[in-house]
């Protein structure tokens, strides 16, 4: 499935992505033909059951894994192929990755502020300062001189977000950014991501198992199952694929209203792009 807006080129574009893990004696197809376009400034939540292929998709987008087939373009860079030098260029400028274990994004004995200043790209010197970034993610001033090993898990997560957005990437990839947190801590992280998106224009693609997080981020929700995109929901409508047998997967809310076995009538719509589904009444043929 592919959603594109012709006026603005997508910042992330994936075509025919296939990822096969070769294990002894058998191949596992983790991604089986994924097509995806993400527009600049979008927030996308990748959801789906365990084993669906979410982490694999994120790893391919992050350039951590070379796909078995297909094309990936991020911010105008072609990631397909094994061009490690080009991948480094993209990661150094246009792409930031927030790992699930954020301790890997941070150096524990440095302070919160030093972690932000660390590896600051020369091209950004003078354009943004650490305190401005820490303001965006909402870390109070008194915590900024503290070493990272002594702060709470939630503040560590916010520090990692600050460290990733400090390089002003076009795209932030995040793997389960709230999985180790609860309640107000989850909200602090979703608020930080929302502010980065609003204030810096960062495009965000986040894997999450938590639909409340997707809702809090007002995200476009892409459901992956068995290595394919099954639903793509944004702005109140959901794009789905008609299955090989002609059936159409329903969203949970529609399925709640029209459970299995509900008789419906189908008729062609007013144009070639429309058809109408209506609950059948006693008088329907
Ligand atoms: P998710 O993130 O949605 O839980 P994954 O991308 O981790 O899904 O996994 C997709 C499929 O690929 C699963 O069947 C999983 O068992 C398999 N898989 C993931 N990583 C590996 C690997 N390193 N080697 C072999 N199979 C893997």
């Amino acid at each position: 499935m592919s959603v594109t807006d012709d006026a603005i080129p997508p910042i992330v574009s994936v075509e025919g992505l296939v990822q096969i893990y070769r294990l002894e004696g058998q191949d596992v197809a983790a991604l089986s033909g994924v097509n995806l376009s993400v527009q600049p400034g979008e927030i996308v939540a990748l959801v789906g059951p365990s084993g669906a292929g979410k982490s694999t998709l994120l790893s391919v987008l992050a350039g951590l894994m070379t796909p078995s087939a297909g094309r990936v373009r991020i911010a105008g860079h072609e990631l397909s192929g094994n061009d490690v030098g080009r991948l480094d260029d993209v990661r150094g400028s246009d792409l930031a990755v927030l790992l699930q274990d954020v301790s890997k994004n941070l150096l524990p004995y440095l302070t919160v502020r030093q972690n932000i200043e660390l590896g600051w790209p020369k091209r950004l010197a003078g354009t943004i300062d650490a305190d401005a970034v820490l303001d965006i993610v909402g870390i109070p001033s008194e915590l900024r001189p503290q070493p990272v090993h002594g702060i709470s898990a939630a503040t560590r997560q916010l520090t990692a977000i600050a460290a990733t957005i400090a390089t002003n990437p076009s795209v932030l990839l995040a793997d389960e950014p709230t999985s180790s947190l609860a309640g107000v801590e989850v909200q602090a992280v979703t608020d930080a991501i929302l502010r980065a998106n609003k204030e810096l224009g960062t495009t965000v693609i986040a894997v999450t198992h938590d639909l409340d997080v997707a809702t809090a981020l007002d995200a476009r929700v892409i459901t992956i199952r068995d290595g394919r995109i099954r639903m793509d929901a944004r702005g109140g409508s959901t794009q789905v694929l008609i299955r090989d047998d002609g059936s159409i997967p329903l969203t949970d809310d529609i399925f709640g209203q029209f459970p299995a076995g509900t008789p419906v009538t189908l008729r062609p719509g007013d144009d070639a792009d429309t058809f109408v589904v209506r609950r059948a009444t006693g008088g329907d043929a």
Side-chain angles (χ1 to χ4, degrees), residues 64-272:
L64 300 172
M65 199 181 274
T66 305
S68 310
R71 293 182 58 187
V72 178
R73 281 179 72 79
I74 294 191
H77 305 272
E78 188 84 39
L79 291 200
S80 319
N82 230 340
D83 191 342
V84 173
R86 200 178 308 159
L87 277 180
D88 284 347
D89 282 352
V90 180
R91 276 204 291 268
S93 57
D94 287 314
L95 188 66
V97 184
L98 184 66
L99 301 167
Q100 189 166 1
D101 177 3
V102 291
S103 58
K104 292 185 181 150
N105 279 93
L106 300 170
L107 288 179
Y109 292 99
L110 295 185
T111 67
V112 168
R113 191 185 278 104
Q114 285 167 336
N115 265 282
I116 310 311
E117 289 163 346
L118 190 79
W120 201 280
K122 284 201 182 67
R123 69 189 167 82
L124 288 179
T127 61
I128 187 167
D129 70 70
D131 284 310
V133 178
L134 290 164
D135 286 344
I136 290 176
V137 300
I139 295 184
S141 328
E142 63 273 19
L143 294 180
R144 298 177 188 183
Q146 306 263 344
V148 160
H149 67 78
I151 59 179
S152 70
T155 309
R156 232 180 352 257
Q157 191 78 12
L158 294 176
T159 305
I161 294 172
T164 51
I165 63 171
T167 58
N168 202 12
S170 312
V171 180
L172 170 63
L173 303 176
D175 195 358
E176 295 281 7
T178 60
S179 62
S180 56
L181 308 174
V184 290
E185 298 176 334
V186 171
Q187 197 191 334
V189 167
T190 53
D191 284 351
I193 292 173
L194 277 172
R195 276 198 300 271
N197 172 260
K198 299 272 174 304
E199 294 182 28
L200 303 175
T202 317
T203 304
V204 179
I205 302 179
V207 168
T208 180
H209 67 280
D210 186 348
L211 272 179
D212 289 343
V213 167
T215 305
L217 291 172
D218 197 16
R220 169 181 169 192
V221 180
I222 294 185
T223 307
I224 302 186
R225 193 164 288 141
D226 300 329
R228 291 175 199 268
I229 293 180
R230 301 296 178 168
M231 290 193 185
D232 186 344
R234 60 177 160 181
S237 69
T238 301
Q239 190 175 328
V240 298
L241 280 184
I242 296 177
R243 294 180 178 135
D244 292 344
D245 65 358
S247 61
I248 300 176
L250 300 181
T251 54
D252 288 347
D253 50 342
I254 293 177
F255 195 43
Q257 268 181 280
F258 294 80
T262 306
V264 293
T265 59
L266 302 178
R267 69 170 172 79
D270 296 335
D271 58 62

Side-chain angles (χ1 to χ4, degrees), residues 21-23 28-31 48-57 65 207 224:
Y21 293 107
R22 300 205 179 283
L23 298 176
V28 177
L31 299 173
S50 179
K54 306 178 297 294
S55 303
T56 302
L57 177 56
M65 199 181 274
V207 168
I224 302 186

